[in-house]
Amino acid sequence: VIGDRRPSRVLDLGTGSGALIADVRSVAPSAEAYGLDISPPLLAAARMDFAGEKGVHFREHDLLDALPTEFGKFDLIVSAWVIHHLPDERKIRLYEEAFDLLEPGGLFCNMDLVALSTPKLQRRALEVFASVDDEEDASDQPAPVEAQLGWLRDAGFDNADCYWKWLATAMLVAERPD
């Protein structure tokens, strides 16, 4: 929900099996949704889960590449557990591209891993989220909350903030000005 209105068009970056699309459509059943993901098996699962549903579209896409523009503008762009795999330079460009794809008043919401300020906090988070013997995922490239909020503001977003954080997990939300 965006203020008192429900999104009519949503873009899910790194959609996986489409769980976020399902969540959005549970409160906005008529929302047209587009899901992008790099994994053909996950996209196949998403297509099967949404078989017969009108207005839900999936496309194979690597987020290292520029976001597609041919789908038009969106009221809501969401992502979960994906953007932290991108290098910081790509995160910055992705935030700029997301801004350009949002309608005025639209929201960008990213639930993701973030970098912590000290090695001790990073170890604590690893202990909480994984067994002590596990190592961090080599593809993880989380950035600090403060840096990401700055990048969102630099891209043109208003009201960029961290709505929720626990250890290395955070929900970042930003609004495209009206």
Side-chain angles (χ1 to χ4, degrees):
V1 178
I2 303 169
D4 61 347
R5 62 188 168 112
R6 307 226 183 271
S8 60
R9 302 190 82 237
V10 60
L11 175 63
D12 183 3
L13 307 176
T15 194
S17 62
L20 285 179
I21 289 174
D23 288 345
V24 169
R25 285 176 59 104
S26 73
V27 295
S30 63
E32 185 174 16
Y34 291 81
L36 304 177
D37 203 283
I38 194 170
S39 170
L42 287 174
L43 288 168
R47 286 182 181 108
M48 199 161 63
D49 288 348
F50 288 90
E53 286 197 41
K54 293 185 190 274
V56 180
H57 317 276
F58 296 100
R59 176 171 157 188
E60 187 174 338
H61 182 81
D62 186 339
L63 291 179
L64 288 171
D65 299 329
L67 295 177
T69 58
E70 63 267 19
F71 303 132
K73 302 278 187 169
F74 297 91
D75 304 302
L76 176 64
I77 298 177
V78 296
S79 187
W81 314 116
V82 175
I83 294 174
H84 74 276
H85 291 292
L86 303 174
D88 289 351
E89 299 79 25
R90 178 62 190 132
K91 288 180 188 84
I92 292 167
R93 285 194 320 277
L94 181 101
Y95 293 162
E96 293 165 351
E97 293 164 10
F99 180 86
D100 290 341
L101 287 175
L102 280 170
E103 293 283 0
L107 286 181
F108 173 79
C109 303
N110 179 31
M111 178 71 155
D112 212 348
L113 293 179
V114 295
L116 295 169
S117 58
T118 68
K120 183 176 182 178
L121 286 173
Q122 198 66 38
R123 280 192 306 278
R124 185 177 299 156
L126 187 59
E127 290 169 358
V128 169
F129 291 116
S131 78
V132 177
D133 297 330
D134 285 346
E135 293 184 23
E136 294 183 66
D137 184 336
S139 72
D140 288 350
Q141 301 176 61
V145 167
E146 297 82 9
Q148 293 190 66
L149 293 175
W151 299 336
L152 288 163
R153 291 178 189 118
D154 289 346
F157 286 100
D158 278 346
N159 300 314
D161 208 349
C162 179
Y163 278 36
W164 178 88
K165 183 178 181 302
W166 182 64
L167 291 173
T169 304
M171 168 64 86
L172 306 180
V173 178
E175 301 172 19
R176 179 168 176 145
D178 284 329

